[in-house]
Amino acid sequence: MQVLIVKLSSLGDVVHALPVLHDMHQALPGVQVDWVAEQGFAPLLRDAAGIRRVIPVALRRWSKSLLRTPGPVLREFAAFRRDLQATRYDAVIDIHGLTKSAFVSWLAQGRRYAMANATRGSGYEAPTRWVADQAIALDPEVHVVQRSRIVCAQALGYAVPAELRFGLGRRDRTTQRPVVALVHGTSRADKEWPVEHWLALARRLHGQGVGVVFPHGSAEELARSERMAAALVTEGVAATVYPRMALDALARELAQCAGVVGVDSGLSHIAVALDLPHVQIYNFDTAWRTGPLPPASGPALQCSVFAQPAPTVDAVWAAWLQVQAADSERAAA
């Protein structure tokens, strides 16, 4: 069986969809899975277990450049379409749910499946069900990870497995470094945690003999990382700033950390996928649909903390001690 997954963006949404790969391979031995995603996320997907081929698309860039440079854009699009249509799939599954993903599904060759309705807090546009040969109805109150798993399971005729695996690789304790990544960057300013809170958390980690590293994804985040690192270093706290790197390289760096504390962002969701000790900070009560899911058994290595206008340092620290203890328990088992 040959299956095409259409999940184009964004980073967190792509990471949330990764468990469908393990589900499919467990339920359908020999299945071959291709995935269409925006080109910026292709390197990360190439590191994920269970994908035969990643087909990158540049809809964002093409839409911005079409009027300025129509020739190159049309040639790139033609090449993408040839690549997409080189395989006739047994199932084309749109787990994105927007007009752009419906367009990609319509271009692909094979029976098309999609979501029949929106789920709370997630974007949804009607063309996704117009294009589908079969639209799958969903409970509107569903976690985003489970939503993708349910759609794929119903499309391909298997039950969603109890085990949840992201297939993005796991850390090697023998090479783990005594640092915690502080993921302060996010696409929305109202999701940020105050700078003084990050500094206070770094000082507490220093008291445990643990340093901190700051990843970043924009010039603004880089500048904030450098300011925080400089302030901490003057106090004798070990703090460094990662260089800018591709997502696959950054994921491999995070996998060597002792853990991650971060706001609701794509990098925080990567920390969950890597099964790292992780605390996810929420200024809005949305962790029920995007935050870490509890494990089927054993202690939870990831948890979320919610408060308004923002969680306190004490609350985040208590959560960090909790996931640290769970990590120690798991290592001793």
Side-chain angles (χ1 to χ4, degrees), residues 96-137:
H96 198 127
L98 298 180
T99 300
K100 60 184 179 180
S101 59
F103 174 63
V104 171
S105 296
W106 176 74
L107 288 174
Q109 305 294 304
R111 182 171 174 80
R112 302 178 184 93
Y113 300 85
M115 296 177 285
N117 56 280
T119 59
R120 187 154 73 93
S122 298
Y124 181 81
E125 293 169 352
T128 192
R129 64 176 177 268
W130 298 344
V131 166
D133 295 299
Q134 181 180 340
I136 296 166

Side-chain angles (χ1 to χ4, degrees), residues 3 255 268 295:
V3 177
S268 282

Side-chain angles (χ1 to χ4, degrees), residues 162-222:
E163 185 180 28
L164 174 65
R165 284 195 183 181
F166 287 85
L168 202 57
R170 301 194 179 194
R171 60 186 168 146
D172 181 351
R173 290 181 184 272
T174 64
T175 60
Q176 179 179 301
R177 300 193 301 272
V179 295
V180 171
L182 302 184
V183 177
H184 59 88
T186 177
S187 59
R188 286 171 41 184
D190 58 359
K191 289 185 178 182
E192 293 176 358
W193 205 41
V195 167
E196 60 269 22
H197 287 15
W198 288 116
L199 297 176
L201 179 64
R203 294 183 191 109
R204 295 194 187 190
L205 289 166
H206 175 70
Q208 287 189 327
V210 177
V212 296
V213 293
F214 293 101
H216 51 87
S218 68
E220 180 183 355
E221 291 173 15
L222 171 59

